[in-house]
Amino acid sequence: MLNLNKKNGKTIKSFDDYKALYAHISHIENLKLLPGHPEFGESSWSFVVLSPMKVIELANTLKKEYDPEILSRALKERSGIIEICTGDIKNPWLIIDSPGVDVEGFRKEFCEDYCDAHELEIEEVE
């Protein structure tokens, strides 16, 4: 179990695991994409796991400007890509999603970085 706390120790919400905390963070950031939200257009935090098929689609349509070496390697290996943005949408961190990559470990780090940047704390409780 995880508690999401303000820096003063006040619990905001509890979660079963980091996947649930990540879903909460994603919801908060996705709201910023809606017109009328006070922070509209300011979302720069995301954690996306792209399937091998999505990588092929991106390579064919060039919808995003990915590092050509990483895109080429993912295509060659028929692997997915993990895209992590931690405050700078123009410079995502890209990781080849090959066997043995600890996706959940990266998701946990993303949650920790997000909370630290937003003056929140994660408390792990048994």
Side-chain angles (χ1 to χ4, degrees), residues 47-51 55 66-67 70-71 73-74 77 79-85 92-103 105-107 109-110:
F47 182 99
V48 180
V49 179
L50 302 169
S51 70
V55 171
Y66 280 133
D67 179 324
I70 295 211
L71 189 57
R73 183 174 155 211
E77 294 176 9
S79 296
I81 292 176
I82 302 167
E83 175 192 272
I84 304 171
C85 295
W93 188 26
L94 303 174
I95 303 156
I96 303 292
D97 186 14
S98 54
V101 169
D102 184 8
V103 176
F106 285 116
R107 188 183 322 271
E109 283 183 42
F110 171 83

Side-chain angles (χ1 to χ4, degrees), residues 19-36:
K19 212 170 203 172
L21 173 57
Y22 164 73
H24 175 74
I25 291 169
S26 291
H27 176 72
I28 290 169
E29 290 300 303
N30 287 340
L31 287 176
K32 294 177 186 177
L33 300 173
L34 299 174

